Amino acid sequence: MNIVGLLLAAGSAKRFGSDKLRHALPHGVAIAVQAARHLKSQVEVVAVVRPGAEELALALQGEGCKVVTCDNAAEGMGASLACAVRAAEGATGWLVALGDMPYVRPSSIAAVRAALEGGASLAAPYFHARRGHPVGIGARFRQELLSLGGDEGAKAVLSRHGAALLKIPVGDPGVVRDIDRPEDLAPPLRV
């Protein structure tokens, strides 16, 4: 199978107050770069950025990602996801990951990839009964993904086809931890 990671990094980060995807984590690596590194450790990656994000695009290219600028990224996550799927030619499945989730462990990403390789058409990691990322989506949903627009992302596909979703329990709080505000960078409570 040719499973491709889709790193959605085209958001505007309004709640963060600055360009959060380029904000450095405590060890000096930008949030989106860290997310890309973990995803890239398991699959080839197509990263989607918004127009005007040249520095982010260069940083992600430097990590070995194929970077695509989504001209209509301002419409929302659905538009960015459709753009990423178009750019991942020949893929037989996708791991949809978010650029503001740098704490997802490579082992969790590998588990979702393995589920798709094992025949699941939809798969997601679950931490303490909460669905996380990346979400694995098989090729049978290609047309639905291409038709997404606005702020409706993969959640719409999962809602329509929930019975097909393989839930993968993981001991990784990173699958549900995104960075929306500066205070989200504080160390998490022990779980």
Side-chain angles (χ1 to χ4, degrees):
M1 292 189 76
N2 182 24
I3 297 171
V4 175
L6 306 178
L7 185 69
L8 305 184
S12 61
K14 291 175 186 155
R15 290 179 283 176
F16 196 81
S18 64
D19 188 352
K20 73 175 174 182
L21 297 177
R22 289 185 33 231
H23 186 85
L25 293 165
H27 63 295
V29 176
I31 290 171
V33 168
Q34 187 66 57
R37 285 179 180 175
H38 287 185
L39 189 59
K40 185 88 171 87
S41 75
Q42 301 301 313
V43 290
E44 292 302 311
V45 175
V46 171
V48 179
V49 299
R50 69 184 180 283
E54 288 81 13
E55 286 184 41
L56 177 61
L58 287 172
L60 294 171
Q61 285 173 342
E63 296 299 321
C65 299
K66 175 182 177 181
V67 177
V68 177
T69 300
C70 182
D71 293 331
N72 59 336
E75 292 177 17
M77 191 180 297
S80 296
L81 181 52
C83 184
V85 170
R86 276 191 296 279
E89 296 179 39
T92 56
W94 305 273
L95 298 183
V96 180
L98 305 181
D100 66 353
M101 294 187 71
Y103 301 114
V104 179
R105 295 178 190 156
S107 59
S108 298
I109 298 166
V112 178
R113 184 196 69 226
L116 288 181
E117 290 171 342
S121 57
L122 291 172
Y126 275 71
F127 179 75
H128 291 253
R130 288 181 55 202
R131 184 177 55 78
H133 283 84
V135 174
I137 303 176
R140 76 178 246 210
F141 298 109
R142 179 178 170 76
Q143 288 308 313
E144 283 187 59
L145 293 173
L146 289 173
S147 69
L148 291 174
D151 206 30
E152 184 178 44
K155 188 182 281 189
V157 175
L158 295 175
S159 294
R160 285 191 290 274
H161 306 284
L165 179 65
L166 176 62
K167 297 177 179 180
I168 305 166
V170 296
D172 176 7
V175 302
V176 296
R177 184 177 180 207
D178 62 345
I179 308 297
D180 287 327
R181 300 173 312 274
E183 54 268 25
D184 294 336
L185 291 167
L189 298 173
R190 293 230 181 258
V191 182

